[in-house]
Amino acid sequence: MARRHSISTGQVVGWNYVFALLLCYMFFDVTPQLYHFTDNWPIFVPLMFLLPSVFLMLALSIRHVGIVRTDAAQRMSLFIPILAALLIFHEAFNNYKIIGLCIAFPALALILSKKADKPAKEWLYPALVLLGFGLVDSLFKQVAIIKTPAYTTSLFILFSGALTITIGAVLYEIIFLKKKFQLMNFAYGMLVGIFNFGNILFYLKAHKAFSDNPSTVFAAMNIGVIVLGSLTGVLIFKEKLSLRNYAGIVLALVAIVFITLSQLK
């Protein structure tokens, strides 16, 4: 929607973290201490930079290469946390999960099989989107298994750092690029902040609940988002899907069933 209106992505991202922080403070008993940051800075610092950066890279990628390629890059970032689950977290994959993942990747390819909206040569931005989202997913797994502080306090610390970095970017835009402060950005930022807070909160809860099977969370969330996103595009934004896209949605649902069975088994 930002492409249709005069919306400053930087300002929206900034307000998003303001509201996300307020929600953290309102709903949870957050008690951030300095040692929480110093003990976990190798995880916290990269996430503080990555969280606002992936939002901005997403907007730049859409502007330079279009929605289709950007969407593909974001969802194909699933490869990174899945590899992390296998190589870093040493998760054992049973047959159900292997079958589910083998179905999932062709499903992604079919769902994202769309006619490009315009030719593009600049693949730097979608590559950064893919890498950024993959690293964020993997690092949040690490946040979920930290014993001190509680993950809600970790979330508050991360949002605070992300807001500080975003404020710097917004001030640069206002001072040097002469962008104006707009009330519309506040409204969009509030909406994004509410959904962003809920998304990350339940993502961390899922990693807590499935601590021995991070790929269950990685795969189910990414595939689920694609399915719901595709249906939203058809029903709300009146986008047209091909038979291949619908076949991909069906395969994605089958993949989710197998991944869920892998958890039960």
Side-chain angles (χ1 to χ4, degrees), residues 29-64:
D29 181 20
V30 291
T31 54
Q33 303 292 331
L34 180 60
Y35 74 89
H36 291 157
F37 176 80
T38 55
D39 289 350
N40 301 292
W41 70 266
I43 301 172
F44 286 171
V45 171
L47 272 172
M48 287 176 178
F49 280 93
L50 282 169
L51 286 174
S53 298
V54 292
F55 272 120
L56 299 175
M57 285 299 141
L58 201 66
L60 286 171
S61 181
I62 290 172
R63 186 181 305 167
H64 284 83

PDB file of all heavy atoms in Angstrom, residues 29-64:
ATOM      1  N   ASP A  29       5.603  -7.867  32.418  1.00  0.00           N
ATOM      2  CA  ASP A  29       6.433  -7.359  33.503  1.00  0.00           C
ATOM      3  C   ASP A  29       7.883  -7.345  33.014  1.00  0.00           C
ATOM      4  O   ASP A  29       8.656  -8.273  33.265  1.00  0.00           O
ATOM      5  CB  ASP A  29       6.284  -8.253  34.729  1.00  0.00           C
ATOM      6  CG  ASP A  29       7.106  -7.756  35.906  1.00  0.00           C
ATOM      7  OD1 ASP A  29       7.469  -6.567  35.907  1.00  0.00           O
ATOM      8  OD2 ASP A  29       7.384  -8.565  36.816  1.00  0.00           O
ATOM      9  N   VAL A  30       8.246  -6.279  32.294  1.00  0.00           N
ATOM     10  CA  VAL A  30       9.591  -6.189  31.727  1.00  0.00           C
ATOM     11  C   VAL A  30      10.509  -5.488  32.722  1.00  0.00           C
ATOM     12  O   VAL A  30      10.189  -4.426  33.248  1.00  0.00           O
ATOM     13  CB  VAL A  30       9.588  -5.438  30.377  1.00  0.00           C
ATOM     14  CG1 VAL A  30       8.898  -6.265  29.324  1.00  0.00           C
ATOM     15  CG2 VAL A  30       8.897  -4.090  30.483  1.00  0.00           C
ATOM     16  N   THR A  31      11.652  -6.105  32.980  1.00  0.00           N
ATOM     17  CA  THR A  31      12.620  -5.539  33.928  1.00  0.00           C
ATOM     18  C   THR A  31      14.013  -5.566  33.301  1.00  0.00           C
ATOM     19  O   THR A  31      14.878  -6.338  33.713  1.00  0.00           O
ATOM     20  CB  THR A  31      12.625  -6.346  35.239  1.00  0.00           C
ATOM     21  OG1 THR A  31      12.848  -7.733  34.917  1.00  0.00           O
ATOM     22  CG2 THR A  31      11.309  -6.206  35.974  1.00  0.00           C
ATOM     23  N   PRO A  32      14.230  -4.732  32.282  1.00  0.00           N
ATOM     24  CA  PRO A  32      15.542  -4.744  31.631  1.00  0.00           C
ATOM     25  C   PRO A  32      16.637  -4.209  32.544  1.00  0.00           C
ATOM     26  O   PRO A  32      16.474  -3.190  33.208  1.00  0.00           O
ATOM     27  CB  PRO A  32      15.335  -3.826  30.424  1.00  0.00           C
ATOM     28  CG  PRO A  32      14.203  -2.936  30.804  1.00  0.00           C
ATOM     29  CD  PRO A  32      13.313  -3.747  31.697  1.00  0.00           C
ATOM     30  N   GLN A  33      17.747  -4.913  32.586  1.00  0.00           N
ATOM     31  CA  GLN A  33      18.920  -4.511  33.349  1.00  0.00           C
ATOM     32  C   GLN A  33      20.121  -4.459  32.393  1.00  0.00           C
ATOM     33  O   GLN A  33      20.118  -5.113  31.349  1.00  0.00           O
ATOM     34  CB  GLN A  33      19.197  -5.502  34.481  1.00  0.00           C
ATOM     35  CG  GLN A  33      18.049  -5.686  35.446  1.00  0.00           C
ATOM     36  CD  GLN A  33      17.779  -4.457  36.290  1.00  0.00           C
ATOM     37  OE1 GLN A  33      18.690  -3.674  36.563  1.00  0.00           O
ATOM     38  NE2 GLN A  33      16.529  -4.286  36.706  1.00  0.00           N
ATOM     39  N   LEU A  34      21.124  -3.707  32.780  1.00  0.00           N
ATOM     40  CA  LEU A  34      22.288  -3.546  31.915  1.00  0.00           C
ATOM     41  C   LEU A  34      22.957  -4.888  31.637  1.00  0.00           C
ATOM     42  O   LEU A  34      23.383  -5.158  30.511  1.00  0.00           O
ATOM     43  CB  LEU A  34      23.291  -2.576  32.559  1.00  0.00           C
ATOM     44  CG  LEU A  34      24.572  -2.302  31.748  1.00  0.00           C
ATOM     45  CD1 LEU A  34      24.227  -1.684  30.397  1.00  0.00           C
ATOM     46  CD2 LEU A  34      25.520  -1.396  32.526  1.00  0.00           C
ATOM     47  N   TYR A  35      23.025  -5.757  32.635  1.00  0.00           N
ATOM     48  CA  TYR A  35      23.710  -7.037  32.435  1.00  0.00           C
ATOM     49  C   TYR A  35      22.951  -7.936  31.457  1.00  0.00           C
ATOM     50  O   TYR A  35      23.533  -8.833  30.846  1.00  0.00           O
ATOM     51  CB  TYR A  35      23.955  -7.742  33.762  1.00  0.00           C
ATOM     52  CG  TYR A  35      22.739  -8.358  34.412  1.00  0.00           C
ATOM     53  CD1 TYR A  35      22.359  -9.666  34.115  1.00  0.00           C
ATOM     54  CD2 TYR A  35      21.988  -7.639  35.345  1.00  0.00           C
ATOM     55  CE1 TYR A  35      21.246 -10.242  34.714  1.00  0.00           C
ATOM     56  CE2 TYR A  35      20.879  -8.211  35.944  1.00  0.00           C
ATOM     57  CZ  TYR A  35      20.515  -9.505  35.630  1.00  0.00           C
ATOM     58  OH  TYR A  35      19.422 -10.064  36.225  1.00  0.00           O
ATOM     59  N   HIS A  36      21.632  -7.705  31.312  1.00  0.00           N
ATOM     60  CA  HIS A  36      20.872  -8.467  30.313  1.00  0.00           C
ATOM     61  C   HIS A  36      21.438  -8.230  28.920  1.00  0.00           C
ATOM     62  O   HIS A  36      21.550  -9.160  28.108  1.00  0.00           O
ATOM     63  CB  HIS A  36      19.397  -8.057  30.337  1.00  0.00           C
ATOM     64  CG  HIS A  36      18.678  -8.492  31.578  1.00  0.00           C
ATOM     65  ND1 HIS A  36      17.533  -7.867  32.030  1.00  0.00           N
ATOM     66  CD2 HIS A  36      18.941  -9.493  32.459  1.00  0.00           C
ATOM     67  CE1 HIS A  36      17.120  -8.471  33.134  1.00  0.00           C
ATOM     68  NE2 HIS A  36      17.964  -9.443  33.418  1.00  0.00           N
ATOM     69  N   PHE A  37      21.784  -6.961  28.675  1.00  0.00           N
ATOM     70  CA  PHE A  37      22.341  -6.619  27.364  1.00  0.00           C
ATOM     71  C   PHE A  37      23.779  -7.077  27.232  1.00  0.00           C
ATOM     72  O   PHE A  37      24.168  -7.676  26.225  1.00  0.00           O
ATOM     73  CB  PHE A  37      22.246  -5.113  27.128  1.00  0.00           C
ATOM     74  CG  PHE A  37      22.880  -4.663  25.841  1.00  0.00           C
ATOM     75  CD1 PHE A  37      22.210  -4.802  24.630  1.00  0.00           C
ATOM     76  CD2 PHE A  37      24.165  -4.117  25.824  1.00  0.00           C
ATOM     77  CE1 PHE A  37      22.799  -4.405  23.437  1.00  0.00           C
ATOM     78  CE2 PHE A  37      24.756  -3.723  24.648  1.00  0.00           C
ATOM     79  CZ  PHE A  37      24.063  -3.860  23.450  1.00  0.00           C
ATOM     80  N   THR A  38      24.590  -6.795  28.250  1.00  0.00           N
ATOM     81  CA  THR A  38      26.016  -7.126  28.157  1.00  0.00           C
ATOM     82  C   THR A  38      26.249  -8.634  28.059  1.00  0.00           C
ATOM     83  O   THR A  38      27.191  -9.080  27.407  1.00  0.00           O
ATOM     84  CB  THR A  38      26.784  -6.561  29.378  1.00  0.00           C
ATOM     85  OG1 THR A  38      26.176  -7.038  30.583  1.00  0.00           O
ATOM     86  CG2 THR A  38      26.746  -5.035  29.369  1.00  0.00           C
ATOM     87  N   ASP A  39      25.380  -9.428  28.710  1.00  0.00           N
ATOM     88  CA  ASP A  39      25.549 -10.886  28.663  1.00  0.00           C
ATOM     89  C   ASP A  39      25.129 -11.480  27.319  1.00  0.00           C
ATOM     90  O   ASP A  39      25.576 -12.581  26.958  1.00  0.00           O
ATOM     91  CB  ASP A  39      24.731 -11.552  29.773  1.00  0.00           C
ATOM     92  CG  ASP A  39      25.316 -11.305  31.158  1.00  0.00           C
ATOM     93  OD1 ASP A  39      26.442 -10.782  31.233  1.00  0.00           O
ATOM     94  OD2 ASP A  39      24.633 -11.621  32.152  1.00  0.00           O
ATOM     95  N   ASN A  40      24.267 -10.785  26.601  1.00  0.00           N
ATOM     96  CA  ASN A  40      23.693 -11.350  25.373  1.00  0.00           C
ATOM     97  C   ASN A  40      23.908 -10.461  24.151  1.00  0.00           C
ATOM     98  O   ASN A  40      23.230 -10.640  23.137  1.00  0.00           O
ATOM     99  CB  ASN A  40      22.185 -11.576  25.571  1.00  0.00           C
ATOM    100  CG  ASN A  40      21.871 -12.508  26.713  1.00  0.00           C
ATOM    101  OD1 ASN A  40      22.154 -13.700  26.650  1.00  0.00           O
ATOM    102  ND2 ASN A  40      21.293 -11.968  27.780  1.00  0.00           N
ATOM    103  N   TRP A  41      24.861  -9.546  24.231  1.00  0.00           N
ATOM    104  CA  TRP A  41      25.025  -8.585  23.135  1.00  0.00           C
ATOM    105  C   TRP A  41      25.351  -9.232  21.784  1.00  0.00           C
ATOM    106  O   TRP A  41      24.937  -8.696  20.733  1.00  0.00           O
ATOM    107  CB  TRP A  41      26.082  -7.532  23.496  1.00  0.00           C
ATOM    108  CG  TRP A  41      27.498  -8.040  23.541  1.00  0.00           C
ATOM    109  CD1 TRP A  41      28.170  -8.484  24.623  1.00  0.00           C
ATOM    110  CD2 TRP A  41      28.399  -8.144  22.445  1.00  0.00           C
ATOM    111  NE1 TRP A  41      29.444  -8.876  24.283  1.00  0.00           N
ATOM    112  CE2 TRP A  41      29.614  -8.665  22.948  1.00  0.00           C
ATOM    113  CE3 TRP A  41      28.313  -7.837  21.092  1.00  0.00           C
ATOM    114  CZ2 TRP A  41      30.723  -8.898  22.135  1.00  0.00           C
ATOM    115  CZ3 TRP A  41      29.413  -8.067  20.278  1.00  0.00           C
ATOM    116  CH2 TRP A  41      30.602  -8.589  20.795  1.00  0.00           C
ATOM    117  N   PRO A  42      26.051 -10.386  21.713  1.00  0.00           N
ATOM    118  CA  PRO A  42      26.309 -10.957  20.381  1.00  0.00           C
ATOM    119  C   PRO A  42      25.036 -11.338  19.635  1.00  0.00           C
ATOM    120  O   PRO A  42      25.038 -11.403  18.402  1.00  0.00           O
ATOM    121  CB  PRO A  42      27.156 -12.197  20.696  1.00  0.00           C
ATOM    122  CG  PRO A  42      27.788 -11.923  22.019  1.00  0.00           C
ATOM    123  CD  PRO A  42      26.743 -11.166  22.770  1.00  0.00           C
ATOM    124  N   ILE A  43      23.939 -11.600  20.370  1.00  0.00           N
ATOM    125  CA  ILE A  43      22.657 -11.900  19.737  1.00  0.00           C
ATOM    126  C   ILE A  43      21.824 -10.633  19.585  1.00  0.00           C
ATOM    127  O   ILE A  43      21.215 -10.389  18.538  1.00  0.00           O
ATOM    128  CB  ILE A  43      21.881 -12.947  20.563  1.00  0.00           C
ATOM    129  CG1 ILE A  43      22.691 -14.232  20.689  1.00  0.00           C
ATOM    130  CG2 ILE A  43      20.516 -13.244  19.930  1.00  0.00           C
ATOM    131  CD1 ILE A  43      22.087 -15.243  21.642  1.00  0.00           C
ATOM    132  N   PHE A  44      21.798  -9.798  20.636  1.00  0.00           N
ATOM    133  CA  PHE A  44      20.942  -8.616  20.638  1.00  0.00           C
ATOM    134  C   PHE A  44      21.358  -7.566  19.609  1.00  0.00           C
ATOM    135  O   PHE A  44      20.520  -7.004  18.905  1.00  0.00           O
ATOM    136  CB  PHE A  44      20.919  -7.980  22.037  1.00  0.00           C
ATOM    137  CG  PHE A  44      20.111  -8.734  23.047  1.00  0.00           C
ATOM    138  CD1 PHE A  44      20.145  -8.390  24.387  1.00  0.00           C
ATOM    139  CD2 PHE A  44      19.311  -9.799  22.667  1.00  0.00           C
ATOM    140  CE1 PHE A  44      19.391  -9.084  25.330  1.00  0.00           C
ATOM    141  CE2 PHE A  44      18.558 -10.511  23.589  1.00  0.00           C
ATOM    142  CZ  PHE A  44      18.602 -10.143  24.930  1.00  0.00           C
ATOM    143  N   VAL A  45      22.655  -7.272  19.543  1.00  0.00           N
ATOM    144  CA  VAL A  45      23.117  -6.189  18.656  1.00  0.00           C
ATOM    145  C   VAL A  45      22.794  -6.467  17.187  1.00  0.00           C
ATOM    146  O   VAL A  45      22.248  -5.596  16.497  1.00  0.00           O
ATOM    147  CB  VAL A  45      24.626  -5.921  18.862  1.00  0.00           C
ATOM    148  CG1 VAL A  45      25.159  -4.967  17.787  1.00  0.00           C
ATOM    149  CG2 VAL A  45      24.876  -5.326  20.248  1.00  0.00           C
ATOM    150  N   PRO A  46      23.110  -7.662  16.660  1.00  0.00           N
ATOM    151  CA  PRO A  46      22.725  -7.919  15.257  1.00  0.00           C
ATOM    152  C   PRO A  46      21.226  -7.787  15.018  1.00  0.00           C
ATOM    153  O   PRO A  46      20.798  -7.240  13.995  1.00  0.00           O
ATOM    154  CB  PRO A  46      23.198  -9.357  15.025  1.00  0.00           C
ATOM    155  CG  PRO A  46      24.281  -9.579  16.011  1.00  0.00           C
ATOM    156  CD  PRO A  46      23.878  -8.793  17.219  1.00  0.00           C
ATOM    157  N   LEU A  47      20.403  -8.261  15.970  1.00  0.00           N
ATOM    158  CA  LEU A  47      18.956  -8.160  15.799  1.00  0.00           C
ATOM    159  C   LEU A  47      18.470  -6.711  15.846  1.00  0.00           C
ATOM    160  O   LEU A  47      17.547  -6.339  15.119  1.00  0.00           O
ATOM    161  CB  LEU A  47      18.236  -8.975  16.884  1.00  0.00           C
ATOM    162  CG  LEU A  47      17.982 -10.445  16.549  1.00  0.00           C
ATOM    163  CD1 LEU A  47      17.451 -11.194  17.763  1.00  0.00           C
ATOM    164  CD2 LEU A  47      17.025 -10.583  15.384  1.00  0.00           C
ATOM    165  N   MET A  48      19.095  -5.887  16.697  1.00  0.00           N
ATOM    166  CA  MET A  48      18.707  -4.475  16.771  1.00  0.00           C
ATOM    167  C   MET A  48      18.908  -3.766  15.440  1.00  0.00           C
ATOM    168  O   MET A  48      18.130  -2.884  15.062  1.00  0.00           O
ATOM    169  CB  MET A  48      19.515  -3.771  17.868  1.00  0.00           C
ATOM    170  CG  MET A  48      19.101  -4.127  19.278  1.00  0.00           C
ATOM    171  SD  MET A  48      20.187  -3.356  20.511  1.00  0.00           S
ATOM    172  CE  MET A  48      19.418  -3.916  22.031  1.00  0.00           C
ATOM    173  N   PHE A  49      19.954  -4.149  14.735  1.00  0.00           N
ATOM    174  CA  PHE A  49      20.194  -3.553  13.417  1.00  0.00           C
ATOM    175  C   PHE A  49      19.351  -4.215  12.341  1.00  0.00           C
ATOM    176  O   PHE A  49      18.851  -3.557  11.423  1.00  0.00           O
ATOM    177  CB  PHE A  49      21.681  -3.666  13.053  1.00  0.00           C
ATOM    178  CG  PHE A  49      22.544  -2.626  13.701  1.00  0.00           C
ATOM    179  CD1 PHE A  49      23.181  -2.877  14.912  1.00  0.00           C
ATOM    180  CD2 PHE A  49      22.715  -1.379  13.109  1.00  0.00           C
ATOM    181  CE1 PHE A  49      23.971  -1.911  15.516  1.00  0.00           C
ATOM    182  CE2 PHE A  49      23.501  -0.403  13.710  1.00  0.00           C
ATOM    183  CZ  PHE A  49      24.131  -0.675  14.909  1.00  0.00           C
ATOM    184  N   LEU A  50      19.179  -5.530  12.440  1.00  0.00           N
ATOM    185  CA  LEU A  50      18.462  -6.269  11.407  1.00  0.00           C
ATOM    186  C   LEU A  50      16.968  -5.969  11.391  1.00  0.00           C
ATOM    187  O   LEU A  50      16.361  -5.880  10.321  1.00  0.00           O
ATOM    188  CB  LEU A  50      18.680  -7.774  11.590  1.00  0.00           C
ATOM    189  CG  LEU A  50      20.007  -8.340  11.103  1.00  0.00           C
ATOM    190  CD1 LEU A  50      20.180  -9.774  11.590  1.00  0.00           C
ATOM    191  CD2 LEU A  50      20.086  -8.287   9.581  1.00  0.00           C
ATOM    192  N   LEU A  51      16.350  -5.816  12.572  1.00  0.00           N
ATOM    193  CA  LEU A  51      14.897  -5.628  12.625  1.00  0.00           C
ATOM    194  C   LEU A  51      14.421  -4.432  11.795  1.00  0.00           C
ATOM    195  O   LEU A  51      13.545  -4.579  10.944  1.00  0.00           O
ATOM    196  CB  LEU A  51      14.436  -5.515  14.081  1.00  0.00           C
ATOM    197  CG  LEU A  51      14.424  -6.822  14.878  1.00  0.00           C
ATOM    198  CD1 LEU A  51      14.094  -6.564  16.345  1.00  0.00           C
ATOM    199  CD2 LEU A  51      13.415  -7.801  14.294  1.00  0.00           C
ATOM    200  N   PRO A  52      14.969  -3.227  12.011  1.00  0.00           N
ATOM    201  CA  PRO A  52      14.537  -2.120  11.150  1.00  0.00           C
ATOM    202  C   PRO A  52      15.094  -2.219   9.734  1.00  0.00           C
ATOM    203  O   PRO A  52      14.455  -1.782   8.768  1.00  0.00           O
ATOM    204  CB  PRO A  52      15.075  -0.873  11.866  1.00  0.00           C
ATOM    205  CG  PRO A  52      16.234  -1.355  12.668  1.00  0.00           C
ATOM    206  CD  PRO A  52      15.893  -2.761  13.069  1.00  0.00           C
ATOM    207  N   SER A  53      16.265  -2.811   9.600  1.00  0.00           N
ATOM    208  CA  SER A  53      16.902  -2.884   8.281  1.00  0.00           C
ATOM    209  C   SER A  53      16.101  -3.731   7.303  1.00  0.00           C
ATOM    210  O   SER A  53      15.971  -3.379   6.125  1.00  0.00           O
ATOM    211  CB  SER A  53      18.322  -3.445   8.404  1.00  0.00           C
ATOM    212  OG  SER A  53      19.129  -2.607   9.187  1.00  0.00           O
ATOM    213  N   VAL A  54      15.543  -4.872   7.781  1.00  0.00           N
ATOM    214  CA  VAL A  54      14.793  -5.726   6.860  1.00  0.00           C
ATOM    215  C   VAL A  54      13.527  -5.033   6.379  1.00  0.00           C
ATOM    216  O   VAL A  54      13.093  -5.224   5.236  1.00  0.00           O
ATOM    217  CB  VAL A  54      14.461  -7.095   7.490  1.00  0.00           C
ATOM    218  CG1 VAL A  54      15.710  -7.921   7.691  1.00  0.00           C
ATOM    219  CG2 VAL A  54      13.681  -6.962   8.778  1.00  0.00           C
ATOM    220  N   PHE A  55      12.917  -4.201   7.250  1.00  0.00           N
ATOM    221  CA  PHE A  55      11.757  -3.414   6.821  1.00  0.00           C
ATOM    222  C   PHE A  55      12.147  -2.464   5.693  1.00  0.00           C
ATOM    223  O   PHE A  55      11.467  -2.365   4.663  1.00  0.00           O
ATOM    224  CB  PHE A  55      11.207  -2.588   7.992  1.00  0.00           C
ATOM    225  CG  PHE A  55      10.189  -3.311   8.828  1.00  0.00           C
ATOM    226  CD1 PHE A  55      10.406  -3.529  10.173  1.00  0.00           C
ATOM    227  CD2 PHE A  55       8.993  -3.755   8.279  1.00  0.00           C
ATOM    228  CE1 PHE A  55       9.474  -4.182  10.958  1.00  0.00           C
ATOM    229  CE2 PHE A  55       8.040  -4.406   9.054  1.00  0.00           C
ATOM    230  CZ  PHE A  55       8.292  -4.620  10.396  1.00  0.00           C
ATOM    231  N   LEU A  56      13.248  -1.748   5.891  1.00  0.00           N
ATOM    232  CA  LEU A  56      13.686  -0.762   4.897  1.00  0.00           C
ATOM    233  C   LEU A  56      14.149  -1.442   3.615  1.00  0.00           C
ATOM    234  O   LEU A  56      13.877  -0.954   2.508  1.00  0.00           O
ATOM    235  CB  LEU A  56      14.812   0.100   5.491  1.00  0.00           C
ATOM    236  CG  LEU A  56      14.422   0.914   6.734  1.00  0.00           C
ATOM    237  CD1 LEU A  56      15.642   1.637   7.304  1.00  0.00           C
ATOM    238  CD2 LEU A  56      13.334   1.928   6.404  1.00  0.00           C
ATOM    239  N   MET A  57      14.854  -2.569   3.744  1.00  0.00           N
ATOM    240  CA  MET A  57      15.291  -3.307   2.562  1.00  0.00           C
ATOM    241  C   MET A  57      14.103  -3.853   1.776  1.00  0.00           C
ATOM    242  O   MET A  57      14.118  -3.893   0.554  1.00  0.00           O
ATOM    243  CB  MET A  57      16.212  -4.460   2.972  1.00  0.00           C
ATOM    244  CG  MET A  57      17.596  -4.023   3.356  1.00  0.00           C
ATOM    245  SD  MET A  57      18.442  -3.210   1.984  1.00  0.00           S
ATOM    246  CE  MET A  57      19.289  -1.908   2.860  1.00  0.00           C
ATOM    247  N   LEU A  58      13.055  -4.243   2.503  1.00  0.00           N
ATOM    248  CA  LEU A  58      11.843  -4.721   1.854  1.00  0.00           C
ATOM    249  C   LEU A  58      11.247  -3.629   0.965  1.00  0.00           C
ATOM    250  O   LEU A  58      10.886  -3.872  -0.190  1.00  0.00           O
ATOM    251  CB  LEU A  58      10.836  -5.140   2.925  1.00  0.00           C
ATOM    252  CG  LEU A  58       9.722  -6.096   2.527  1.00  0.00           C
ATOM    253  CD1 LEU A  58      10.278  -7.461   2.157  1.00  0.00           C
ATOM    254  CD2 LEU A  58       8.734  -6.244   3.687  1.00  0.00           C
ATOM    255  N   ALA A  59      11.177  -2.414   1.507  1.00  0.00           N
ATOM    256  CA  ALA A  59      10.620  -1.302   0.738  1.00  0.00           C
ATOM    257  C   ALA A  59      11.497  -0.962  -0.467  1.00  0.00           C
ATOM    258  O   ALA A  59      10.998  -0.712  -1.573  1.00  0.00           O
ATOM    259  CB  ALA A  59      10.471  -0.082   1.642  1.00  0.00           C
ATOM    260  N   LEU A  60      12.815  -0.945  -0.269  1.00  0.00           N
ATOM    261  CA  LEU A  60      13.728  -0.639  -1.371  1.00  0.00           C
ATOM    262  C   LEU A  60      13.671  -1.712  -2.450  1.00  0.00           C
ATOM    263  O   LEU A  60      13.724  -1.417  -3.646  1.00  0.00           O
ATOM    264  CB  LEU A  60      15.162  -0.510  -0.835  1.00  0.00           C
ATOM    265  CG  LEU A  60      15.473   0.762  -0.041  1.00  0.00           C
ATOM    266  CD1 LEU A  60      16.845   0.648   0.609  1.00  0.00           C
ATOM    267  CD2 LEU A  60      15.409   1.989  -0.943  1.00  0.00           C
ATOM    268  N   SER A  61      13.548  -2.967  -2.024  1.00  0.00           N
ATOM    269  CA  SER A  61      13.484  -4.060  -2.990  1.00  0.00           C
ATOM    270  C   SER A  61      12.228  -3.979  -3.837  1.00  0.00           C
ATOM    271  O   SER A  61      12.269  -4.166  -5.057  1.00  0.00           O
ATOM    272  CB  SER A  61      13.541  -5.401  -2.247  1.00  0.00           C
ATOM    273  OG  SER A  61      13.511  -6.471  -3.159  1.00  0.00           O
ATOM    274  N   ILE A  62      11.090  -3.670  -3.194  1.00  0.00           N
ATOM    275  CA  ILE A  62       9.837  -3.511  -3.949  1.00  0.00           C
ATOM    276  C   ILE A  62       9.972  -2.385  -4.957  1.00  0.00           C
ATOM    277  O   ILE A  62       9.511  -2.478  -6.100  1.00  0.00           O
ATOM    278  CB  ILE A  62       8.667  -3.248  -2.984  1.00  0.00           C
ATOM    279  CG1 ILE A  62       8.363  -4.507  -2.180  1.00  0.00           C
ATOM    280  CG2 ILE A  62       7.425  -2.800  -3.745  1.00  0.00           C
ATOM    281  CD1 ILE A  62       7.353  -4.307  -1.069  1.00  0.00           C
ATOM    282  N   ARG A  63      10.625  -1.310  -4.545  1.00  0.00           N
ATOM    283  CA  ARG A  63      10.781  -0.153  -5.437  1.00  0.00           C
ATOM    284  C   ARG A  63      11.675  -0.479  -6.624  1.00  0.00           C
ATOM    285  O   ARG A  63      11.446  -0.015  -7.737  1.00  0.00           O
ATOM    286  CB  ARG A  63      11.377   1.018  -4.647  1.00  0.00           C
ATOM    287  CG  ARG A  63      11.452   2.324  -5.425  1.00  0.00           C
ATOM    288  CD  ARG A  63      12.085   3.416  -4.577  1.00  0.00           C
ATOM    289  NE  ARG A  63      11.390   3.576  -3.302  1.00  0.00           N
ATOM    290  CZ  ARG A  63      11.877   4.268  -2.282  1.00  0.00           C
ATOM    291  NH1 ARG A  63      13.072   4.821  -2.370  1.00  0.00           N
ATOM    292  NH2 ARG A  63      11.179   4.388  -1.175  1.00  0.00           N
ATOM    293  N   HIS A  64      12.707  -1.297  -6.411  1.00  0.00           N
ATOM    294  CA  HIS A  64      13.690  -1.538  -7.469  1.00  0.00           C
ATOM    295  C   HIS A  64      13.380  -2.750  -8.342  1.00  0.00           C
ATOM    296  O   HIS A  64      13.634  -2.724  -9.546  1.00  0.00           O
ATOM    297  CB  HIS A  64      15.095  -1.703  -6.868  1.00  0.00           C
ATOM    298  CG  HIS A  64      15.725  -0.413  -6.443  1.00  0.00           C
ATOM    299  ND1 HIS A  64      15.465   0.171  -5.221  1.00  0.00           N
ATOM    300  CD2 HIS A  64      16.586   0.415  -7.081  1.00  0.00           C
ATOM    301  CE1 HIS A  64      16.155   1.302  -5.126  1.00  0.00           C
ATOM    302  NE2 HIS A  64      16.842   1.460  -6.237  1.00  0.00           N
TER     303      HIS A  64
END
